[in-house]
Amino acid sequence: MNEETFYATIRELGARYRKRDLSPVEVTHALLARIERLDPVLHAFVTLTADRALADARAAEEALGRGDGRALLGIPVAHKDIYLTRSIRTTGGSALLADWIPENDATCVRRWREAGTVLLGKLMTHEFAFGIQLPGHRFPPARNPWNLDHIPGGSSSGSGAALAAGLVSGATGSDTGGSIRGPAAFCGVVGLKPTYGRVSRAGVLALSWTLDHAGPMARTVEDCAYLLQAMAGHDPADPASSRAPVDDYLAPLARDIRGVRIGVPRAYFFEGIDPEIERAFEVAIETLRRLGAEVRDVQIPSLHATHSFLLILMAEAFAYHERDIRHHPELYGDVLRERILTGALVTAAEYTQAQRIRAQICREAAGVLREVDVLVTPTTLKPATPFTLAQDPEFGFPKSNMPPFNLTGLPTLALPCGFSSSGLPLSLQLAGRPFEEGAVLRVGHAYEQATTWHTRRPPL
Amino acid sequence: MNEETFYATIRELGARYRKRDLSPVEVTHALLARIERLDPVLHAFVTLTADRALADARAAEEALGRGDGRALLGIPVAHKDIYLTRSIRTTGGSALLADWIPENDATCVRRWREAGTVLLGKLMTHEFAFGIQLPGHRFPPARNPWNLDHIPGGSSSGSGAALAAGLVSGATGSDTGGSIRGPAAFCGVVGLKPTYGRVSRAGVLALSWTLDHAGPMARTVEDCAYLLQAMAGHDPADPASSRAPVDDYLAPLARDIRGVRIGVPRAYFFEGIDPEIERAFEVAIETLRRLGAEVRDVQIPSLHATHSFLLILMAEAFAYHERDIRHHPELYGDVLRERILTGALVTAAEYTQAQRIRAQICREAAGVLREVDVLVTPTTLKPATPFTLAQDPEFGFPKSNMPPFNLTGLPTLALPCGFSSSGLPLSLQLAGRPFEEGAVLRVGHAYEQATTWHTRRPPL
């Protein structure tokens, strides 16, 4: 098994399994060895589940022998450690839950299990998807495989690092203000924040009920589509879960993007942008045009509402953590504790006004998405942050291109669009209409196939 | 035109119009004379629109002459004075808006106008649907036609009083915590709070966005069905407006109620109840059984959440009024100002927790409504409050049977079910599944037709 096998796509792995060219048990053994070699430096995993992985792999092998044709059969995955896993420690990256062993799987964990995946373990997350891990924290932070002195992004930090390092083929993430897309961007992988309500959050630790999204991360757009297919769908256990029918997310990838109307919201998304990212973005736009898309500028004036986003996030995070943080303040990291307690100061009037501004943004975005099919922006304003800067408690919440799509709940994809001069990945963000994941995956896939960014490997 | 004509139903009026036995202009003149005689004591009207009413009546008469068959053609109505009316003063019962003349009709006002109704004027409301009118207020409170020393209920006080006194055949109301059902109960008329999202609130002054409902008030269930039919339906101008299809609300009234499953939530709704109301309620249950309904007890444990209701109401009311009350505190009544400013103290965490409790109530109610078709309770715990008590600023917010159905958004009908020994009306509350207004109207109509409560008249 050569190095490239660790970067095989889900479809390639499945094809080789079915040619008997490779077996899930063989892949699992090789991955466990690779994790043992690389993870002491990367810290992508909080918990490795070697026995479970081998048992899953053997079961997959038997199923393959019976001719079972499921796309995810034998595909190695891991879960962000805020997804509850039955009989497997689920820490939330926190001291509070460091030894907690849930009795039930999160809905998404169950669905991926039922799809035949191989579970390698639990992946690092920022503390409760909201803190930052300072030196000395019980769970040391994951590192960026492209440059160990830089963060892999957060809060789905382990998911981004594990995918970029070829340790898993798919991972779950969660995204309240960019926690799927940010790590995807910083690690040069693909992340999809589905439409609000498309993927169940039952059994995923909450941060902010009205902003939280669960979704898949992978190395290619097609892999994301396979993983989404096995996660999407109504779940009565998540009150916000939608009953909208689930589409076939693979089918749109077969179509080219001639005539697709793409809007570039010029204001807001380019304020404070790194010049290298701006150049990469303009080249990406030209690529999309060359592929036949109609690209035009659009306006969504209310998007400058970062303040509303933070008010909603802070208030809901405090409401969720209030009881625990009162009883066990010492089990929260200093940065996280201060962030959460700040939410106690938000008044209901501020909160409801923020939700009203949010409704206005949703109306404006819906208006623009009557004129275009997909919006495109840079995912982040800068490449991966150095640890020296990210661990400064004063770093706070810099302006971000991602929260507008948590406020609106629109399906949003992040995928590689180049590299900085220092070798760090850059990323494109595509957003579509509610429940039109297929449209963003289609555009993302066409762009990805026309470029070669997803074939580059980090220097491990 | 005899006294009984003022109490004719919408169908009776229409039939007489079409037999040329009566004309809209004749009815309008008679009503204007009756209002002139009775309203100086009742104060049901804030603004009388005699010229407009006569113009509407003449137009209706012409349309009748052309064979126009619309059910509401020539039917005399008036609007609660928080519904915006083009070129007609809309005060909200407040000094702040005492001289405000809107440029556009509320959606419901427009729809009733387009249905051919005759607009007699604007009806008294508690100040911004939330205050109480103490002696000396610019707009004196409406009085209860059954006993002038008692309140007609609020905040749709003028709507209840005008209907009971035979001054209009239909009126709009709005219901945030019972403001349609309370006046219907205290005045012995019928009020329907439709499902949240069923009737547009565009152009209706807000009190609490997530609790406010617009709906019809009338003297019979059938009249309510006619009026709802002309109000219901999607309106893009109200962000909460539903796209659920509009049913035929008259058709279900033709069906008996044999086999209809009715649930009585015994806890909560009977705590603090007046013994006369409890007796009337048990007699009503027997009547429903006699009509063929299956009546059983049910449990909705979380309904004891009055505190959540008040937190949401206070917080949203403050958010809505914040700017005006800062700039013009003197234009708010003392009681209203204190109520609104209290909302400034609600934190976002309290607000979101209240919304979570609300979601739990909704789940429990949905569960019960899988077992039964309709819920029945007493509408109020006591008959109409004496002014001496209601105007005591310490009276506050007594426990009420109505807010649970604002929290859940379920369609809820209030209709007469008897009289107290002192001659004050008593009322039955029926609630159904979302968008099943037809089911509650059907049960209400069957009950009403089997009793004679709606044929009693106040001593005017």
Side-chain angles (χ1 to χ4, degrees):
Chain A
M1 225 180 106
N2 66 17
E3 176 86 6
E4 263 312 290
T5 308
F6 297 114
Y7 290 95
T9 67
I10 288 173
R11 189 146 54 97
E12 288 163 359
L13 269 186
R16 293 185 64 184
Y17 288 163
R18 287 172 179 87
K19 280 197 301 184
R20 302 291 183 273
D21 175 36
L22 201 66
S23 88
V25 171
E26 181 187 356
V27 167
T28 300
H29 275 299
L31 284 171
L32 290 170
R34 183 175 176 87
I35 292 166
E36 205 170 323
R37 178 168 68 86
L38 296 176
D39 207 53
V41 169
L42 286 176
H43 297 305
F45 279 85
V46 182
T47 304
L48 197 63
T49 56
D51 292 346
R52 163 71 181 270
L54 288 166
D56 285 351
R58 280 189 289 268
E61 210 152 299
E62 281 175 31
L64 284 161
R66 294 192 302 269
D68 187 327
R70 286 177 292 165
L72 294 188
L73 192 59
I75 300 300
V77 302
H79 292 293
K80 182 176 183 177
D81 209 19
I82 67 170
Y83 282 68
L84 273 59
T85 41
R86 190 166 98 90
S87 307
I88 300 169
R89 177 175 80 151
T90 299
T91 69
S94 78
L96 186 74
L97 303 183
D99 305 306
W100 182 44
I101 296 177
E103 290 177 15
N104 291 296
D105 282 335
T107 299
C108 286
V109 170
R110 177 173 55 74
R111 288 185 178 173
W112 279 15
R113 175 166 52 71
E114 291 170 354
T117 59
V118 171
L119 180 62
L120 283 162
K122 303 298 291 290
L123 297 165
M124 189 58 70
T125 169
H126 286 188
E127 188 180 341
F128 285 123
F130 194 35
I132 57 176
Q133 264 93 335
L134 296 177
H137 193 281
R138 173 150 181 181
F139 299 106
R143 291 179 173 271
N144 192 320
W146 293 91
N147 184 329
L148 299 174
D149 294 334
H150 291 250
I151 66 168
S155 61
S156 310
S157 50
S159 305
L163 284 161
L167 308 184
V168 294
S169 293
T172 46
S174 69
D175 192 316
T176 304
S179 281
I180 284 174
R181 293 161 288 157
F186 284 3
C187 294
V189 301
V190 181
L192 175 67
K193 181 195 79 57
T195 310
Y196 188 77
R198 174 71 302 167
V199 170
S200 170
R201 303 168 309 175
V204 182
L205 297 177
L207 169 54
S208 172
W209 299 286
T210 70
L211 296 166
D212 292 347
H213 299 65
M217 297 172 67
R219 278 184 301 262
T220 68
V221 174
E222 187 189 69
D223 283 2
C224 256
Y226 277 118
L227 294 166
L228 174 64
Q229 201 76 57
M231 297 173 99
H234 179 67
D235 179 12
D238 177 353
S241 177
S242 168
R243 292 184 183 274
V246 173
D247 293 334
D248 178 341
Y249 299 116
L250 275 302
L253 309 192
R255 300 175 57 196
D256 67 35
I257 61 167
R258 272 176 293 190
V260 171
R261 299 167 305 169
I262 297 180
V264 183
R266 282 281 162 193
Y268 184 79
F269 291 94
F270 296 83
E271 292 160 21
I273 199 165
D274 180 290
E276 285 193 313
I277 291 186
E278 190 162 20
R279 278 196 296 277
F281 179 80
E282 296 305 339
V283 173
I285 292 296
E286 281 316 306
T287 303
L288 290 167
R289 279 213 173 90
R290 191 165 47 73
L291 293 170
E294 297 167 14
V295 186
R296 72 179 87 162
D297 289 359
V298 296
Q299 302 295 330
I300 310 180
S302 295
L303 275 184
H304 291 73
T306 311
H307 187 64
S308 297
F309 165 76
L310 284 177
L311 282 174
I312 294 168
L313 168 58
M314 297 282 195
E316 295 180 358
F318 175 73
Y320 179 73
H321 283 283
E322 183 171 8
R323 195 179 304 189
D324 285 333
I325 209 165
R326 277 179 200 227
H327 291 138
H328 304 290
E330 76 287 358
L331 295 179
Y332 283 75
D334 291 345
V335 171
L336 178 61
R337 192 169 57 245
E338 188 177 323
R339 285 182 180 177
I340 287 174
L341 291 175
T342 305
L345 305 176
V346 180
T347 71
E350 291 168 325
Y351 178 81
T352 53
Q353 295 292 17
Q355 293 283 20
R356 293 184 77 200
I357 291 169
R358 176 184 197 169
Q360 173 63 22
I361 296 171
C362 289
R363 281 191 291 273
E364 290 178 13
V368 167
L369 284 166
R370 279 191 287 270
E371 307 299 320
V372 297
D373 303 306
V374 165
L375 298 169
V376 60
T377 77
T379 307
T380 64
L381 295 165
K382 300 192 188 309
T385 319
F387 270 103
T388 47
L389 178 59
Q391 293 197 330
D392 180 348
E394 299 303 312
F395 186 54
F397 296 99
K399 170 179 179 288
S400 167
N401 280 355
M402 296 179 283
F405 300 107
N406 297 85
L407 288 170
T408 55
L410 300 174
T412 311
L413 183 72
L415 76 167
C417 72
F419 287 84
S420 74
S421 52
S422 58
L424 290 167
L426 310 177
S427 177
L428 206 60
Q429 178 172 244
L430 295 166
R433 298 188 195 101
F435 301 102
E436 294 192 7
E437 278 76 7
V440 295
L441 291 166
R442 174 185 169 197
V443 174
H445 181 71
Y447 172 81
E448 177 191 79
Q449 295 303 308
T451 60
T452 54
W453 306 120
H454 67 294
T455 63
R456 298 246 202 134
R457 306 291 168 236
L460 288 169
Chain B
M1 227 179 104
N2 67 14
E3 177 86 5
E4 263 312 290
T5 308
F6 297 115
Y7 290 95
T9 67
I10 288 173
R11 191 146 54 97
E12 287 163 359
L13 269 185
R16 293 184 65 184
Y17 287 163
R18 287 172 178 87
K19 280 197 299 185
R20 301 291 181 275
D21 174 35
L22 202 65
S23 88
V25 172
E26 183 187 356
V27 167
T28 301
H29 275 300
L31 284 171
L32 289 170
R34 184 173 175 86
I35 293 165
E36 204 170 328
R37 178 168 69 86
L38 297 176
D39 207 54
V41 169
L42 287 176
H43 297 304
F45 279 85
V46 182
T47 305
L48 197 64
T49 55
D51 291 347
R52 163 70 182 271
L54 288 166
D56 285 351
R58 280 190 290 268
E61 209 151 303
E62 281 176 33
L64 284 162
R66 292 192 303 270
D68 187 329
R70 286 175 294 166
L72 295 189
L73 192 58
I75 301 301
V77 301
H79 293 294
K80 182 175 184 178
D81 209 18
I82 66 169
Y83 281 68
L84 274 59
T85 41
R86 190 167 97 91
S87 307
I88 299 169
R89 176 175 80 150
T90 299
T91 70
S94 79
L96 186 74
L97 301 182
D99 304 307
W100 182 43
I101 296 177
E103 290 178 12
N104 291 295
D105 281 338
T107 299
C108 286
V109 170
R110 177 173 56 72
R111 288 184 178 172
W112 277 16
R113 175 166 52 72
E114 290 170 355
T117 59
V118 171
L119 180 62
L120 283 163
K122 303 298 290 290
L123 297 166
M124 190 58 71
T125 169
H126 286 188
E127 188 180 343
F128 285 122
F130 195 34
I132 57 175
Q133 264 94 332
L134 297 177
H137 193 281
R138 175 149 179 182
F139 300 106
R143 292 178 173 269
N144 192 321
W146 293 92
N147 184 328
L148 298 175
D149 293 333
H150 290 252
I151 66 169
S155 63
S156 310
S157 50
S159 305
L163 284 161
L167 307 183
V168 294
S169 293
T172 46
S174 68
D175 191 317
T176 304
S179 282
I180 284 174
R181 292 161 288 161
F186 284 2
C187 294
V189 300
V190 181
L192 176 67
K193 181 195 80 57
T195 310
Y196 188 76
R198 175 70 301 169
V199 169
S200 171
R201 303 168 307 174
V204 183
L205 298 178
L207 170 52
S208 173
W209 299 286
T210 70
L211 296 166
D212 291 347
H213 299 65
M217 297 172 67
R219 278 184 300 263
T220 68
V221 175
E222 186 188 70
D223 284 2
C224 255
Y226 276 118
L227 294 166
L228 174 65
Q229 201 76 55
M231 297 172 100
H234 180 66
D235 178 13
D238 176 353
S241 177
S242 168
R243 292 183 183 276
V246 174
D247 294 334
D248 177 341
Y249 300 116
L250 274 304
L253 309 192
R255 300 175 57 195
D256 66 36
I257 61 167
R258 273 177 291 188
V260 171
R261 298 167 306 168
I262 297 180
V264 184
R266 281 280 163 194
Y268 184 80
F269 291 95
F270 295 83
E271 292 161 20
I273 200 165
D274 182 290
E276 284 193 314
I277 292 186
E278 192 163 18
R279 277 196 295 278
F281 179 80
E282 298 303 340
V283 172
I285 291 295
E286 282 315 307
T287 303
L288 290 168
R289 279 211 173 92
R290 190 167 46 75
L291 293 169
E294 296 167 15
V295 185
R296 72 177 89 161
D297 289 359
V298 296
Q299 301 296 329
I300 310 179
S302 295
L303 274 184
H304 290 73
T306 311
H307 187 63
S308 297
F309 166 75
L310 285 177
L311 280 175
I312 294 168
L313 168 59
M314 296 283 194
E316 295 181 356
F318 175 73
Y320 179 74
H321 282 284
E322 181 171 9
R323 193 179 305 188
D324 285 333
I325 208 165
R326 275 177 202 228
H327 290 139
H328 303 291
E330 76 288 359
L331 296 179
Y332 283 75
D334 292 344
V335 171
L336 178 61
R337 191 169 56 246
E338 188 177 323
R339 285 182 179 178
I340 288 174
L341 290 176
T342 305
L345 306 177
V346 180
T347 71
E350 291 168 324
Y351 177 80
T352 53
Q353 295 292 19
Q355 293 283 19
R356 292 183 78 199
I357 291 169
R358 175 183 197 171
Q360 175 61 23
I361 297 170
C362 289
R363 281 191 292 273
E364 290 177 13
V368 168
L369 284 166
R370 277 190 289 271
E371 307 299 320
V372 298
D373 303 307
V374 165
L375 297 169
V376 60
T377 77
T379 307
T380 64
L381 295 165
K382 299 192 188 307
T385 320
F387 270 103
T388 47
L389 178 59
Q391 293 196 330
D392 180 347
E394 301 302 311
F395 186 54
F397 297 99
K399 170 178 178 291
S400 166
N401 280 355
M402 296 178 283
F405 300 107
N406 297 85
L407 288 170
T408 56
L410 300 173
T412 311
L413 182 73
L415 76 166
C417 72
F419 286 84
S420 73
S421 52
S422 57
L424 290 168
L426 310 178
S427 178
L428 205 62
Q429 179 172 246
L430 296 166
R433 300 189 194 101
F435 302 104
E436 294 191 7
E437 278 77 7
V440 294
L441 291 166
R442 174 185 169 197
V443 174
H445 181 71
Y447 172 80
E448 177 191 81
Q449 295 303 307
T451 59
T452 53
W453 306 121
H454 66 293
T455 62
R456 297 245 202 133
R457 307 292 168 234
L460 287 169

